[in-house]
Amino acid sequence: MAKSSLSLSICIVANAKYLLAITNGVAVQKYLLIRLILFIPTLLIASVIIFFIMRILPGDVVQVVLGGTGQSTYDSEQLEALREELGLKEPLVVQYSSWIWQMVNGSFGGRSLEDREEISNLLARQLPVTLLLTTYALLFSFLVSLPMGVLAASWHNRWPDYTIRFITISGQAIPSLCAALLVILLLLVIFDWSPPIVYTNPWTNPWNHFQIMIWPSVVLGWGYSSHLTRIARSSMLDVLTQDYIRTAKGKGLGQSSIIIRHSLRNALIPVFSVVGLQIGAIISGTVILESIFLLPGIGRGIVHAVTVRDYSVIQSLAVVSVFLMLSVNLLIDLGYAILNPQISYES
Amino acid sequence: MVVAHPTPSSNMGSLTYNPKKGGVLRLANRGDPPASFDTLRTSSIALHHVGGGLFGSGNLVTRCRENMYLVCPYVARAWATNNDFTEWIFTIRDDIQWHDGQALVAEDVKFWLTLAKFGFVTEHKSRAPAYFRADLGSIDSIETLEGNRLKIRLTERFPHYLDSLMNPRFKIAHPRHLMKERMEAGDVSMAPLDVGLIGTGPFMLDNYSKGSTISIRKFDNYWERDAKATNLPYLDGIDFITVPDPSAMDAALRTGRIDGGARGEGHYLSLERKQGYDRDLEGNVFYAKMQGGLFRMAFNVLKPGPWQDVRVRRAVSLYIDREAAVPSVLGGFGYISPTFGPSNPFTSSNFSTWSKFNPAKLLDNRIEADKLMKQAGYENGFSIGYLCRSRLVPRCEFLHSQLAGLNIDLNIQIVDEGEWNRGRVSLDYDSQPGAHFTPPLPEATESVFGVYSDNPDAYSKHEDKNITKLYHSLKSASTQAQRVSIWKQIEAYIVDDQAYVVPIAGTIQVVPYLGHVKGLVIPPEDGHTHTDFATVWLNRP
């Protein structure tokens, strides 16, 4: 009797899990579809805001191009003629419509107003550099922050915790600009060496790529991993005081087993959500580092475009950044289910 | 018809070294050249540092290598003018080729000059003329003549037309045979990059990796030769490495990754940075020092305020300690001068005895300044806005602290490059530093000293017709002595008498090069000059 009721229970549980998986699978698809549809109004609203903010800013690309670096003089007739040539005298609605059409027809916003380069080419050149830098920094952060967070929590208020606290607080307090300049200076003074100055792709010259990417990745990753380490430490400390951990300890499980098998997964959930929120920070961190370490990425491209008021480039790159942010956040939301199967997408 | 200028036999005559051929020079460049390398659009040094090699150092004429204040032949081997200097005929060299092998002829120069002066108009589209079109004179017509000659007819006499033309920013970078047809078909905005940067300079494009490098390699059919009739250039090529950050440039140069620094504000060395080079490289480095632009305060007299009173402007000019500006905000390299650098033949040699420029009289000047403020009724001071470029904030702070002594509250309005380029041609600001640089030529200064209605980019915004008259006389002057004399009147009137513009100090632009870089032509002023690097050679161990 007991045996049959056990079999029945197992059968019910198995069926329930199967049903849950099916329901959850359908729900995930539905959730994914809704989120993807929501991308469209979000991107449109962002594009309108970006477009009009750029127009509110004083100065325009024509003045910057004609003004050079402040070393040439020009008159209003020339200004107007060049504005006409670049289509900047069209009504704003016409300019916006024309740009948005160029965004959706595959040319990513047409051409740069400053140097006429096709924005699709510009993206193809700059985006991989930034994505690689961001990926390296993220990898570095994960590889460093999770073990450090666990270590700090396990050795709570003892010397490893203090050391890690010092490293992470420094990482959060020192701006990446200062850290980058400090790295360059230290390499120069101590080793009489500086990073390579010409960027190469990893598939053309891996050694040069490694030498030029390692330092900005470490600098960017230091600040980012510091934040993650702090979150991982707090989260781990929180988990380690839970009843089920006490039970596990009471059963005589070893410390490593408790941490790896029973604590880590739960402690990772807040870390994972912070990753999503902080991805914007890591992308914006590339802006300065790309200039200092001579990386021709999207961050440096945006800074230059803003400086010269290259509207079409700024708008297009900003919309691409918004799209990237939305996509990363969507992936993170989907990833919660892997870490915690109790999370449902039904609602 | 009279010959206006003799044709120098060679501008390489004084070179006595025995250069080694070959090698690739690596130079930093502060950014990608803007406007698709269009020399008609922008004067940015990021373009002209590279552009000299690709497009050559001049146009019809160029600044001489031995003396940049003299005119030397370039694309034109000879020229002549009529008695009233309204007709100029240039004979174009027969041995010049574009990098694609096409011969350069008078029609090509006509195309470029027309494009620069008048732009390009098709049925539906039009292209704006060059930003420097005013410096090309009041051109009535351009025609080609037999014998590969070009005739430019002006509506007004312009005796010193060649001085105006030899500006190194006016580079021929628009090949007619590659552009004209496409422009006629409607692509009026096309730029040199769209046709592969085909120029006539000593180097031709090898590879352009945007954001990283511009590699140019020796053009074997370049026409220029040195005094020993050896073909120029000596180098096999130049790699310009894009280095937007000055500290990255310092590290790269000090570790030998590059041979020379970038030109441009921010990249020029300060005394402190130079000491780092001296310490690390111990004599294996030299410095190109070129007089640059002035740090100044110019008043918008068209906007109501105390600065409309000439006594107030004079007081400001008298009160400022110009010598203090050099170490504190010009990185330790600077000079005191009213307009041009000390080496310029038009600089008044006695300016340091002018009351406002005599450092020995600073105390007396300040007492005088206080009196003038009292007379004008502003002994308790006033507030004045100052348009301040974000990259030059220390200068604005210096001015703020100086003027505080006169109870003047300088309201520093920090702006980025976009607003700087708009604001400086507007009437929105009380005062401003003005555009950084003018060609070292008196006639060219009307665009920055003249009346606002004709010169919106003038440093000081005023409508003083007396200045227009003076410039008219200057442009009509036939002899050098007349030019110098009239220029001194203009300068004294603007800077000393009316104090529309208060010059503070000039910058010296310092560019580092490793010791094995030889044959570099370093102009005494204007870093845009002689960027063709045709005479450079490498003596690497």
Side-chain angles (χ1 to χ4, degrees), chain B residues 114-125:
Chain B
T114 309
L115 203 59
K117 184 66 190 176
F118 305 107
F120 198 91
V121 183
T122 64
E123 202 178 333
H124 302 292
K125 289 181 179 174

Side-chain angles (χ1 to χ4, degrees), chain B residues 174-299:
Chain B
H174 299 71
R176 179 182 58 103
H177 64 285
L178 299 175
M179 286 188 161
K180 194 173 178 222
E181 216 167 282
R182 285 174 63 180
M183 282 190 180
E184 282 168 348
D187 194 2
V188 292
S189 296
M190 66 184 316
L193 190 58
D194 299 326
V195 292
L197 300 176
I198 300 292
T200 59
F203 298 93
M204 55 195 288
L205 182 72
D206 178 51
N207 178 48
Y208 176 32
S209 171
K210 207 169 177 194
S212 284
T213 46
I214 305 165
S215 298
I216 59 177
R217 292 294 176 264
K218 180 179 181 173
F219 176 43
D220 290 327
N221 295 333
Y222 183 61
W223 58 274
E224 219 181 351
R225 282 158 183 69
D226 68 8
K228 294 175 184 169
T230 308
N231 283 353
L232 291 178
Y234 301 128
L235 293 169
D236 284 339
I238 309 174
D239 285 343
F240 290 94
I241 318 289
T242 305
V243 187
D245 185 70
S247 48
M249 180 188 95
D250 291 348
L253 212 145
R254 282 157 68 174
T255 51
R257 288 195 185 272
I258 48 175
D259 303 307
R263 297 188 186 188
E265 203 66 53
H267 284 70
Y268 294 128
L269 297 191
S270 64
L271 193 58
E272 199 182 6
R273 282 169 62 202
K274 181 178 171 289
Q275 283 164 352
Y277 279 86
D278 290 336
R279 192 179 50 240
D280 282 7
L281 297 169
E282 292 172 0
N284 186 29
V285 61
F286 70 96
Y287 305 96
K289 292 181 181 172
M290 301 163 288
Q291 291 147 25
L294 276 183
F295 160 35
R296 66 180 83 75
M297 181 181 191
F299 298 97

Side-chain angles (χ1 to χ4, degrees), chain B residues 1-2 80-90 143 151-154 156-158 161:
Chain B
M1 195 69 79
V2 295
T81 182
N82 61 358
N83 288 327
D84 66 352
F85 303 101
T86 54
E87 218 175 83
W88 291 82
I89 296 175
F90 296 90
E143 56 184 299
K151 182 160 93 177
I152 302 172
R153 194 193 300 273
L154 306 174
E156 290 173 3
R157 56 186 262 121
F158 200 165
Y161 191 44

Side-chain angles (χ1 to χ4, degrees), chain A residues 53 72 93 109 112 115 131 141 144 180 194 218 234 278 284 291 306 319 340 344:
Chain A
I53 280 180
S72 52
V93 179
S112 153
D115 63 8
L131 287 180
S141 302
V144 166
S194 64
V218 167
S234 317
Q278 290 286 306
S284 62
S291 291
V306 170
V319 167
N340 187 355
S344 165

Side-chain angles (χ1 to χ4, degrees), chain B residues 348-369:
Chain B
S348 308
S349 55
N350 65 339
F351 73 86
S352 61
T353 58
W354 296 3
S355 60
K356 290 163 197 161
F357 288 86
N358 188 347
K361 289 192 170 177
L362 183 63
L363 205 59
D364 296 339
N365 287 347
R366 288 188 161 177
I367 293 166
E368 176 68 17

Side-chain angles (χ1 to χ4, degrees), chain A residues 57-60 63-79 81-86 111-112 114-117 122 125 177 181 184-185 188-189 192-199 208 211 290-296 300 304 306-307 309, chain B residues 30 32 34-36 41-45 126-133 169 187-191 194 210-213 241-245 247-248 251-252 254-255 257-258 280 389 391 416-422 424-425 435-437 447-448 456-457 509 528:
Chain A
L57 282 178
D60 69 20
Q63 287 163 325
V64 175
V65 167
L66 286 178
T69 44
Q71 299 199 339
S72 52
T73 55
Y74 54 90
D75 57 39
S76 53
E77 205 180 318
Q78 283 161 301
L79 273 180
L82 193 52
R83 277 192 188 128
E84 177 96 50
E85 195 183 316
L86 296 178
R111 285 169 177 265
S112 153
E114 190 215 6
D115 63 8
R116 291 164 43 86
E117 184 183 12
L122 188 143
R125 195 182 65 246
L177 167 72
L181 292 175
I184 286 185
L185 198 66
L188 181 65
V189 172
D192 194 21
W193 186 86
S194 64
I197 48 176
V198 178
Y199 174 80
N208 186 74
Q211 288 182 84
E290 283 179 358
S291 291
I292 295 175
F293 289 98
L294 310 179
L295 302 174
R300 204 170 100 190
H304 178 73
V306 170
T307 309
R309 303 282 195 276
Chain B
R30 81 168 183 190
D32 284 308
S36 299
R41 293 276 198 247
T42 181
S43 65
S44 170
I45 188 65
S126 64
R127 177 192 169 101
Y131 71 89
F132 54 80
R133 65 171 177 174
R169 291 160 185 77
D187 194 2
V188 292
S189 296
M190 66 184 316
D194 299 326
K210 207 169 177 194
S212 284
T213 46
I241 318 289
T242 305
V243 187
D245 185 70
S247 48
R254 282 157 68 174
T255 51
R257 288 195 185 272
I258 48 175
D280 282 7
R389 292 174 82 176
R391 62 165 75 169
D416 71 353
E417 291 301 288
E419 172 58 1
W420 153 250
N421 279 298
R422 186 204 71 82
R424 70 177 220 239
V425 293
H436 194 58
F437 190 80
S447 60
V448 293
D457 206 1
Q509 301 164 337
H528 283 64

